Amino acid sequence: MTALDPSVYAKLLQTNSASLSSLLLKRGLRNTAVRGVRPLAAAEKPMIGPAVTVRYIPAREDIDGSTYSSDPSNQQRKAIDTIPEGHVLVFDCRSMAEIAGIGAVLARRLIYRGCAGLVLDGGVRDTADIAQLGLPTYCLGPAAPANLVAHHASDMNQPIACGGVAVYPDDIVFGDSEAVIIIPREYVSEIADEAVAMEEQEEFLKLEIESGKSTLGVYPPNKETLERFEAWRKARVEAV
């Protein structure tokens, strides 16, 4: 697993899921927003970090008994106990909202490990407790039944599906109040640069619309609008 470059992280903090989705679309990547997941609690900043993945398959009664939770081979527990600091744990829960993929006790271990966040296309138990912990958590909603009712953690750090999106280990996971976006690692540095520039331009375009201008020629910007933007941007730089 590879930590995210601090300068790239700082740039991603300045953007949002909508912009990232657009920039990925320009590269032909249409399926990047994890479907159905919502944050348990509002956050002051985006959730950002490389993915550590866990795949759940259907549980089987002869394997997933009451002792499996403490079995050293349990891939869920391995992931939780070894996740590197600053990484995001992503579960393939087969879009089962009615079963919990994790609860509050294990969430506390993730906080101790310095986990950057948690994404599940399934349910979470102890949601009120987890929401107060400060661990960014995106899921399909609350669910009381424990994961052993329906899930067996078959492997970790393999490609998975989460909310209909392919997630590979070390992909960059970005989550805000609107969506969770999966960014292939190979694109993240250039996308971070473009996202900062895109946010600055959109700030100017919003001012243009608020001043009474028509969207035509402003969004998307034509040559004249781009010239006004460059003059505005230059003035901002000189004022600093």
Side-chain angles (χ1 to χ4, degrees):
M1 306 306 294
T2 308
L4 183 60
D5 184 281
S7 66
V8 174
Y9 178 87
K11 292 171 186 174
L12 290 175
L13 282 177
Q14 301 175 52
T15 189
N16 57 64
S17 58
S19 295
L20 294 173
S21 176
S22 295
L23 291 169
L24 288 164
L25 180 60
K26 288 181 178 180
R27 290 161 171 80
L29 296 169
R30 299 175 178 273
N31 188 35
T32 58
V34 179
R35 292 189 279 281
V37 299
R38 295 292 181 268
L40 283 184
E44 295 181 359
K45 63 180 183 178
M47 173 191 72
I48 304 168
V52 171
T53 61
V54 174
R55 185 199 320 276
Y56 282 139
I57 64 173
R60 207 173 75 179
E61 287 75 10
D62 62 328
I63 295 174
D64 299 292
S66 59
T67 61
Y68 181 63
S69 292
S70 57
D71 191 318
S73 69
N74 186 320
Q75 297 295 307
Q76 180 216 45
R77 296 302 179 86
K78 280 186 177 181
I80 290 170
D81 272 332
T82 62
I83 187 168
E85 183 177 358
H87 285 57
V88 176
L89 185 56
V90 184
F91 284 97
D92 175 358
C93 296
R94 309 190 320 281
S95 296
M96 295 183 67
E98 69 276 17
I99 305 298
I102 198 169
V105 174
L106 298 182
R108 281 168 167 77
R109 178 61 175 166
L110 290 174
I111 290 174
Y112 178 83
R113 294 286 306 174
C115 176
L118 180 63
V119 182
L120 314 86
D121 63 344
V124 169
R125 68 195 316 198
D126 311 317
T127 51
D129 189 345
I130 292 177
Q132 296 178 8
L133 291 178
L135 176 69
T137 302
Y138 293 77
C139 64
L140 297 184
N147 69 330
L148 292 177
V149 172
H151 295 316
H152 173 85
S154 64
D155 52 57
M156 63 174 286
N157 280 336
Q158 296 295 322
I160 64 169
C162 185
V165 176
V167 184
Y168 286 75
D170 232 23
D171 280 347
I172 302 305
V173 185
F174 178 99
D176 60 15
S177 61
E178 196 162 80
V180 172
I181 303 294
I182 306 301
I183 309 171
R185 169 72 76 150
E186 64 185 290
Y187 296 126
V188 70
S189 181
E190 62 188 59
I191 280 181
D193 287 335
E194 291 180 28
V196 171
M198 185 176 182
E199 293 301 324
E200 185 177 30
Q201 186 182 91
E202 289 204 350
E203 181 183 351
F204 172 75
L205 297 182
K206 290 173 185 175
L207 293 172
E208 289 276 278
I209 298 299
E210 290 170 2
S211 73
K213 289 185 175 65
S214 168
T215 60
L216 298 177
V218 172
Y219 191 71
N222 59 18
K223 179 182 177 181
E224 291 74 19
T225 300
L226 289 175
E227 288 174 351
R228 291 196 302 274
F229 166 64
E230 287 301 325
W232 174 84
R233 188 177 64 82
K234 183 179 179 180
R236 290 182 86 191
V237 172
E238 292 175 348
V240 174

